[in-house]
Amino acid sequence: MVDLNQYRALTFDCYGTLIDWENGILGVLKPLLLAHNVNLDENQILALFAEFEAEMEKGEYIKYREVLKRVVQKFGERFDFEPTADELKSLAESIQHWLPFSDTVEALKTLKQNFKLVIISNVDDDLFAFSAKYLEVEFDQIITAEQARSYKPSLNNFRLALEKINLPLEQILHVAASLYHDIVTAKSLGLSTVWVNRRADQKGLLTTVSAVSQPDLEVPDLKTLTALSSLKQY
C-alpha cells in the first residue's frame, strides 16, 4: 500500500488515464476503416493503433499531429487503401472532442486540495489545451512531448518534468494507465507509481504496447485513488 502522506505532487499521464482515448480513437478509426471496406473488431483496431503509434514515436521527434497522421497512413498501407487528406487529419482533429472518464473531474478537484497536480503527456501543447478545458482544474505544471521533443517511455520526458517540479523524488507519485509508456520508466528513475488499470476486467492492454512492471499500487480507477487520498493525515 502506498502511503499518500509522503507525497506533495501527483504527476499524471493524460490520455487513457484522465481522458477516454480508446473511445476517442475508435470513434474515428472504426467508421474510417468501414468506409474502406475494412471490418475489424474494436480490439483489433486498438492493438494496431498501439503498434503503429509506438513505431511512429521512435526515432527523430515529430509532433503528435504528425504521429497520428502517419498512424492513419499505416492503416491504409496495412489494408491497401489510400486515406483522404481529411482522413489523415481526422484522429488529431478529434482530440478536441475526447471526453474525460466519468470519475476524472471529481477526482482531480478532490486531489487538488492536497497535492500539486502535474501532467506528463505524449501530446502537442495545443492538443492538450483542448483536453484541459474538460479537466476543470488548474495544473501546477504541464509537460508535453512537444516541450520534451521526445515521447514516453523516453527518460527525457520525466527528467524534464522532475526539473520543473523541483521536489525530491520521494515526494512525487506518478499515476498512469500505461505500463509501457509510464510505469516502467517512472520506476527506473526511482519514482513511486500508481497503475490505473481501467482495463482490469477486460482482456489485454490493447491501446499500448505490452510491458511488464511492478507498480507500487494498482487501482481500477481514479475514484479508488481519491478514496485513499482522503486518508491522508496532516
Side-chain angles (χ1 to χ4, degrees):
M1 179 65 68
V2 169
D3 178 11
L4 293 177
N5 286 297
Q6 72 185 79
Y7 303 108
R8 292 178 58 193
L10 303 181
T11 55
F12 286 91
D13 166 61
C14 182
Y15 301 96
T17 304
L18 305 178
I19 297 287
D20 185 356
W21 79 328
E22 288 191 356
N23 278 326
I25 290 163
L26 290 169
V28 173
L29 290 182
K30 195 169 184 179
L32 187 158
L33 291 168
L34 285 173
H36 292 280
N37 300 311
V38 179
N39 189 7
L40 302 177
D41 67 33
E42 292 184 351
N43 289 344
Q44 290 172 314
I45 294 172
L46 293 174
L48 285 171
F49 175 91
E51 175 189 335
F52 298 155
E53 185 200 44
E55 179 182 343
M56 296 306 129
E57 289 178 346
K58 293 177 180 177
E60 185 176 352
Y61 169 78
I62 56 174
K63 291 184 71 170
Y64 195 59
R65 282 183 181 274
E66 183 64 22
V67 168
L68 294 180
K69 178 180 177 180
R70 294 185 187 186
V71 166
V72 175
Q73 187 67 58
K74 286 291 290 184
F75 273 97
E77 292 171 6
R78 180 68 61 92
F79 296 102
D80 196 26
F81 68 86
E82 187 61 42
T84 67
D86 285 342
E87 287 173 337
L88 288 172
K89 297 186 293 185
S90 59
L91 264 179
E93 292 296 327
S94 73
I95 288 178
Q96 63 188 298
H97 306 298
W98 294 5
L99 298 176
F101 291 102
S102 60
D103 64 337
T104 293
V105 172
E106 183 178 353
L108 289 175
K109 288 180 176 179
T110 300
L111 293 168
K112 179 68 174 174
Q113 297 172 28
N114 295 333
F115 304 95
K116 293 180 181 294
L117 301 185
V118 177
I119 290 289
I120 310 176
S121 180
N122 273 357
V123 76
D124 302 336
D125 290 341
D126 64 327
L127 294 179
F128 178 76
F130 290 122
S131 300
K133 297 175 183 178
Y134 294 116
L135 298 177
E136 298 184 28
V137 298
E138 183 176 349
F139 291 92
D140 295 272
Q141 296 285 346
I142 296 167
I143 293 86
T144 65
E146 183 175 5
Q147 295 166 30
R149 301 196 66 78
S150 59
Y151 288 97
K152 298 180 295 181
S154 171
L155 291 167
N156 186 52
N157 301 60
F158 288 90
R159 286 172 174 159
L160 177 61
L162 294 174
E163 179 182 327
K164 290 191 174 187
I165 296 167
N166 195 28
L167 286 172
L169 285 178
E170 59 269 19
Q171 294 181 11
I172 303 170
L173 180 65
H174 188 60
V175 183
S178 174
L179 294 175
Y180 168 74
H181 290 104
D182 288 86
I183 302 299
V184 172
T185 305
K187 291 284 289 182
S188 75
L189 288 170
L191 286 168
S192 298
T193 59
V194 176
W195 180 28
V196 184
N197 185 8
R198 292 188 180 275
R199 297 185 63 90
D201 60 346
Q202 302 176 52
K203 185 178 180 180
L205 301 168
L206 295 170
T207 330
T208 66
V209 175
S210 63
V212 177
S213 185
Q214 185 60 50
D216 297 282
L217 176 67
E218 178 181 341
V219 295
D221 49 43
L222 292 181
K223 183 178 180 180
T224 303
L225 180 63
T226 305
L228 293 173
S229 77
S230 67
L231 302 176
K232 186 171 180 178
Q233 303 295 317
Y234 294 91

